Amino acid sequence: MLAALVAGAFTILLLAVTAERNSVRLAHHSEQVLAVAQRLGREIHDLESSQRAWVVTRDAQLLADWRAARRGAQAAATELVRLTQVPEHRAGAREIATAVEGYVLPAAAPPRDLRARVDAFIANEEGFVQQRELRSARQARTARVAA
């Protein structure tokens, strides 16, 4: 009887540790996704700023800055699509990556809502992380109560 009780407690503890490990892995992944999305937002800001400045001044250095920001935005958008795992998030990341590709010429009009889409993606991912953290805390409490 005692052996069965110890085995049951050990099993519950093992399940709780496994769930916690998965939660840590998912939290780390979400941090990576958020970091890339925020980097993408900064690159888009730089892209828009250098585009506006170049249109006004026609300064070649600003065009070089625009090209660098475009390369950075494209790389960040590609990385964002690669990192997203939730199907709805991946669809949003693909839409953002497609919009980033719309920046072909500095005189071209950028997609108006691109920064808003990136901000919405970040907010959605942060909400997803909060839900996962609440679920993890609930599972840990359940495991403690069961033990």
Side-chain angles (χ1 to χ4, degrees):
M1 178 69 172
L2 181 61
L5 184 62
V6 169
F10 183 74
T11 301
I12 291 172
L13 183 61
L14 185 62
L15 291 173
V17 168
T18 301
E20 187 65 27
R21 189 176 301 145
N22 286 339
S23 294
V24 168
R25 183 183 55 78
L26 290 172
H28 177 68
H29 179 265
S30 293
E31 287 174 3
Q32 288 177 315
V33 171
L34 286 170
V36 170
Q38 289 168 347
R39 187 179 88 215
L40 176 58
R42 284 190 304 274
E43 293 289 355
I44 289 169
H45 179 267
D46 292 348
L47 189 61
E48 292 172 342
S49 297
S50 58
Q51 177 177 341
R52 282 190 302 272
W54 181 80
V55 167
V56 170
T57 66
R58 299 294 189 202
D59 181 354
Q61 178 56 45
L62 294 170
L63 186 56
D65 293 346
W66 180 87
R67 288 183 178 132
R70 182 168 186 259
R71 282 190 303 274
Q74 288 172 326
T78 301
E79 181 74 1
L80 186 64
V81 171
R82 186 187 70 75
L83 283 174
T84 51
Q85 295 176 346
V86 178
E88 296 83 20
H89 295 188
R90 180 164 285 196
R94 282 190 181 128
E95 287 177 17
I96 290 169
T98 301
V100 167
E101 290 298 319
Y103 283 101
V104 182
L105 300 171
R112 293 182 146 243
D113 64 340
L114 182 57
R115 285 182 61 192
R117 281 193 250 171
V118 172
D119 291 342
F121 183 90
I122 290 170
N124 191 18
E125 186 67 22
E126 287 172 341
F128 187 68
V129 169
Q130 288 173 349
Q131 287 177 352
R132 192 174 337 154
E133 288 171 350
L134 289 172
R135 191 174 344 153
S136 176
R138 189 172 39 245
Q139 289 172 344
R141 280 193 307 274
T142 303
R144 281 194 303 268
V145 168

